[in-house]
Amino acid sequence: MTEPENRCRLVLIVPDIADVDEQARIVADALKGGDVASVIVPQYGLDDGTFQKHAEKLVPLIQDAGAAALISGDSRVAGRAKADGLHLSSNAEALSEAIDKHAPKLIVGGGNAADRHHALEIGEVRPDYIFFGKLDGDIKPEAHPKNLALGEWWASMIEIPCIVMGGTDPASALAVAETGAEFVALRLAIFGDPARAPSVVAEINALLDEKAPRFED
């Protein structure tokens, strides 16, 4: 799979599906649709043992598709499942501890950056990326205006890449790209209708190829 040159790329957030085989099949299908930079695997309501089983099933198929597999919240599950990284929706202190412990062996990023002040605190600990929004924050068709504004501010000033959470409309990916953010995260926009997931991934990549601004080297 060829990576797109110097434009915003897609990050998928695995949907909340209790059946591990169905979840894996849907994610694998979506990844056939085209370029995906990484896939974040949230725990949702699963107990640790069940989450471990989901992670062990999902991580290899994500990696086989050429994307990085990021486990949300649990470094032990990330390690046992041989994931590429750890996504933490926590404060700068917790991120700093995880970076000290796991980087550079694992990608470590995320953050709970609800405003500029907290974003800068997170930036000071030098994560691999910062995330604006919540993993399940796609409750409207468009991306949250606050997250778009934070992404635009961050991308114009700071070298650490940012991921901005999109909305339920696939077209929200372009609004994120237009902020200058390196990555757009989508969940329901891709997985709301699982049968269409591969074609939606293809459509979003085509839209970004055509209209997303290009980064300067």
Side-chain angles (χ1 to χ4, degrees):
M1 191 182 298
T2 57
E3 291 183 11
E5 295 300 310
N6 62 8
R7 66 145 170 86
C8 183
R9 293 179 69 198
L10 190 52
V11 172
L12 302 187
I13 297 170
V14 170
D16 185 3
I17 297 171
D19 184 298
V20 65
D21 292 324
E22 184 188 358
Q23 188 184 47
R25 180 181 56 76
I26 288 168
V27 171
D29 274 355
L31 288 164
K32 291 172 186 165
D35 176 69
V36 171
S38 58
V39 180
I40 298 172
V41 184
Q43 185 160 354
Y44 293 117
L46 300 174
D47 65 64
D48 290 349
T50 309
F51 184 41
Q52 179 75 48
K53 288 180 185 141
H54 280 245
E56 286 173 358
K57 185 104 179 182
L58 289 164
V59 165
L61 67 86
I62 292 165
Q63 293 169 337
D64 286 348
L70 308 177
I71 299 296
S72 179
D74 194 322
S75 60
R76 285 169 305 181
V77 170
R80 289 181 196 137
K82 298 184 171 58
D84 300 288
L86 185 60
H87 176 90
L88 295 175
S89 302
S90 49
N91 59 22
E93 190 179 355
L95 259 175
S96 180
E97 286 173 16
I99 290 164
D100 288 345
K101 199 168 176 184
H102 301 293
K105 188 172 172 235
L106 291 179
I107 297 165
V108 180
N112 184 10
D115 54 45
R116 292 186 178 193
H117 172 72
H118 286 100
L120 290 172
E121 283 186 345
I122 289 162
E124 281 174 10
V125 305
R126 309 294 298 174
D128 290 298
Y129 64 86
I130 188 168
F131 189 97
F132 293 114
K134 294 181 177 167
L135 295 181
D136 58 356
D138 50 347
I139 51 176
K140 292 186 174 175
E142 62 281 349
H144 196 294
K146 183 180 77 172
N147 296 330
L148 291 174
L150 283 166
E152 185 165 21
W153 161 74
W154 182 271
S156 69
M157 282 182 34
I158 314 269
E159 284 190 6
I160 296 166
C162 69
I163 304 175
V164 175
M165 186 70 202
T168 57
D169 184 343
S172 65
L174 183 58
V176 170
E178 286 168 344
T179 68
E182 287 85 357
F183 302 97
V184 54
L186 295 176
R187 185 179 65 127
L188 295 177
I190 304 292
F191 298 110
D193 178 357
R196 289 200 63 242
S199 59
V200 176
V201 169
E203 286 163 21
I204 291 167
N205 271 300
L207 178 67
L208 295 175
D209 279 341
E210 184 186 354
K211 295 189 173 172
R214 297 311 192 250
F215 305 129
E216 295 172 10
D217 292 333

